[in-house]
Amino acid sequence: MIATLTEAEIAATVALIAGAGLSRPWNDTAADLRLALAAPSSTVFVAHQGNDLAGCVMTGCDGHRGWVYYLAVADSARGASLGRALMQQAEAWCAAQGVPRLNLMVRADNIAATEFYARLGYRTSDVVVLQRDLTSGSDAAEPHR
């Protein structure tokens, strides 16, 4: 069953994201999830198998394009098309918002994720992502990605 993330599920979702290797020490995953839930232009979906949290995906639109973050599936739930179902949910939500295109970022060395998204019909885009930290106290030496 796929549903919208609740406050009570945030800690377990943060653990799921960390277990999937998607969290980074310079990102506050719980704050990211809460921000997505609080804004009308984003949301977080979770999937359950029985009583267990089995997957999650965060999605939103920036007024121009849709974005997907934190797609994670528990090791125990892999191979059951749960990642595909979560992406379909994110795509449907974005389509309902009138979003014409959905984007996501995958770390260059994450070949398994790149192959997964290719099987879903996603393609590599010929763009370079640039970034600048806007928070005070950010460590310029930290490889923020």
Side-chain angles (χ1 to χ4, degrees), residues 37 40 43 55 57 70-71 78 80 84-85 90 97 100 118 120:
L37 291 174
T43 194
V57 66
Y70 294 134
L71 175 66
R78 297 253 168 112
R84 178 181 297 272
Q97 310 307 309
L120 296 184

Side-chain angles (χ1 to χ4, degrees), residues 8-96:
E9 297 170 309
I10 288 179
T13 304
V14 168
L16 176 71
I17 290 167
L22 299 177
S23 59
R24 296 295 182 259
W26 51 85
N27 287 343
D28 183 341
T29 307
D32 289 347
L33 297 172
R34 284 186 177 99
L35 182 61
L37 291 174
S41 60
S42 56
T43 194
V44 183
F45 294 108
V46 291
H48 297 90
Q49 286 187 332
N51 292 328
D52 297 329
L53 180 70
C56 66
V57 66
M58 183 170 83
T59 191
C61 57
D62 61 14
H64 183 64
R65 296 287 188 255
W67 287 90
V68 166
Y69 303 93
Y70 294 134
L71 175 66
V73 174
D75 288 340
S76 62
R78 297 253 168 112
S81 298
L82 193 53
R84 178 181 297 272
L86 284 162
M87 283 301 295
Q88 289 171 339
Q89 184 73 31
E91 290 169 358
W93 186 90
C94 285

